[in-house]
């Protein structure tokens, strides 16, 4: 295991639902990331947190709302999603942002299907 | 156009055979290049990292090469095993961000 745990592993939701994805890391890292992975496309960075502060939001629609209560936990709150939001959502962590040699450790992801 | 292009998109090889995956990038300035392996149902896991001055780096049966002049990298898998079936992602870093390739899906058949 990588030390990064994501729940749930699979999620099916309607366009009017509200749900949340959870990520927890046990590596003592201070940076956490949300990525979207669609089939045959590169990973898309969504949000970055460093020491609980959001440092990056890559023009993500407001129907995705991140929350980072502490350096070990990261949430992605979802509401009124669209079918094109169906994808694998990956969480990652690293010691901190901005250090060139740091490795990002990824969770197994949440497979999201929006009906 | 993506700054990191990988080829082929997918390939099928017989167990025990070798294969080579390609990664071409336009990211500048270059800091490092990393190859990740992503098993089905799992997140990506780092295989190797290469900096500007490194030409070759091995991790078991995986050997990565880097030509910083032509901005090309390759990942060579030797004596493939069924467990090598996965997606392999090339990630290039400049000073402040990572650029991801779309990945090459490798299927190893018995």
């Amino acid at each position: 295991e990588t030390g990064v745990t994501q729940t749930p592993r699979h999620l099916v939701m309607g366009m009017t639902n509200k749900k949340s994805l959870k990520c927890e890391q046990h590596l003592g890292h201070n940076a956490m990331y949300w990525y979207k992975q669609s089939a045959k496309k590169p990973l898309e960075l969504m949000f970055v947190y460093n020491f609980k502060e959001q440092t990056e939001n890559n023009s993500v629609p407001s129907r995705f709302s991140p929350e980072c209560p502490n350096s070990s936990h990261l949430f992605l709150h979802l509401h009124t999603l669209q079918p094109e939001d169906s994808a694998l959502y990956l969480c990652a962590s690293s010691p901190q942002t901005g250090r060139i040699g740091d490795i990002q450790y990824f969770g197994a992801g949440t497979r999201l299907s929006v009906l | 156009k993506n700054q990191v292009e990988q080829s082929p998109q997918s390939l099928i090889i017989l167990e025990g055979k070798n294969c080579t995956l390609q990664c071409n990038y336009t990211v500048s300035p270059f800091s490092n290049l990393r190859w990740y392996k992503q098993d089905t149902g799992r997140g990506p896991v780092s295989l190797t990292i290469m900096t500007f001055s490194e030409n070759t780096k091995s991790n078991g049966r995986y050997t990565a090469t880097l030509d910083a002049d032509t901005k090309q990298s390759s990942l060579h898998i030797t004596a493939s095993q069924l467990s090598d079936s996965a997606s392999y992602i090339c990630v290039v870093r400049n000073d402040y961000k990572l650029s991801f390739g779309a990945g090459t899906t490798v299927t190893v058949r018995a």
Side-chain angles (χ1 to χ4, degrees):
Chain A
E1 296 303 323
T2 62
V4 181
T5 303
Q6 290 187 242
T7 54
R9 293 294 312 275
H10 302 273
L11 179 62
V12 179
M13 59 187 291
M15 289 190 284
T16 58
N17 292 158
K18 289 185 179 181
K19 296 287 184 182
S20 295
L21 310 184
K22 179 183 177 182
C23 176
E24 182 175 2
Q25 57 94 0
H26 307 277
L27 301 169
H29 290 166
N30 295 299
M32 297 189 77
Y33 312 78
W34 279 118
Y35 288 90
K36 177 183 179 181
Q37 187 175 35
S38 303
K40 304 193 189 310
K41 290 185 177 181
L43 269 72
E44 301 172 45
L45 179 64
M46 300 174 70
F47 302 102
V48 181
Y49 280 82
N50 197 38
F51 293 94
K52 301 189 302 178
E53 299 299 319
Q54 187 180 117
T55 58
E56 200 162 338
N57 175 342
N58 279 322
S59 303
V60 180
S62 59
R63 58 185 183 268
F64 295 91
S65 175
E67 178 189 1
C68 188
N70 54 62
S71 292
S72 298
H73 293 85
L74 185 64
F75 296 88
L76 188 62
H77 303 299
L78 317 171
H79 66 97
T80 59
L81 294 190
Q82 304 299 310
E84 60 265 29
D85 296 322
S86 298
L88 180 68
Y89 288 85
L90 291 166
C91 172
S93 73
S94 69
Q96 61 186 71
T97 59
R99 300 201 316 193
I100 291 175
D102 281 353
I103 297 174
Q104 289 190 15
Y105 293 82
F106 286 85
T110 295
R111 174 68 62 185
L112 174 67
S113 297
V114 181
L115 305 179
Chain B
K1 184 170 166 57
N2 194 27
Q3 294 188 77
V4 180
E5 297 289 342
Q6 291 188 243
S7 62
Q9 188 176 85
S10 62
L11 67 94
I12 300 173
I13 58 173
L14 292 177
E15 188 178 15
K17 299 297 185 182
N18 304 333
C19 68
T20 300
L21 288 53
Q22 298 290 341
C23 174
N24 297 338
Y25 62 93
T26 58
V27 173
S28 182
F30 174 86
S31 289
N32 60 51
L33 183 148
R34 202 182 292 274
W35 284 93
Y36 278 87
K37 178 188 180 189
Q38 184 175 17
D39 292 315
T40 301
R42 298 281 190 97
V45 174
S46 178
L47 286 176
T48 67
I49 179 172
M50 304 191 73
T51 58
F52 187 86
S53 59
E54 295 174 305
N55 299 119
T56 304
K57 183 170 282 189
S58 292
N59 178 0
R61 295 179 295 100
Y62 300 102
T63 299
T65 66
L66 174 65
D67 185 333
D69 292 330
T70 61
K71 298 188 176 182
Q72 296 180 325
S73 176
S74 66
L75 182 69
H76 186 76
I77 304 175
T78 303
S80 61
Q81 299 177 359
L82 296 178
S83 59
D84 294 328
S85 294
S87 179
Y88 293 84
I89 302 171
C90 176
V91 184
V92 183
R93 179 170 185 136
N94 64 11
D95 288 344
Y96 61 94
K97 69 174 276 188
L98 298 177
S99 295
F100 290 82
T104 293
T105 300
V106 174
T107 302
V108 180
R109 295 222 171 121

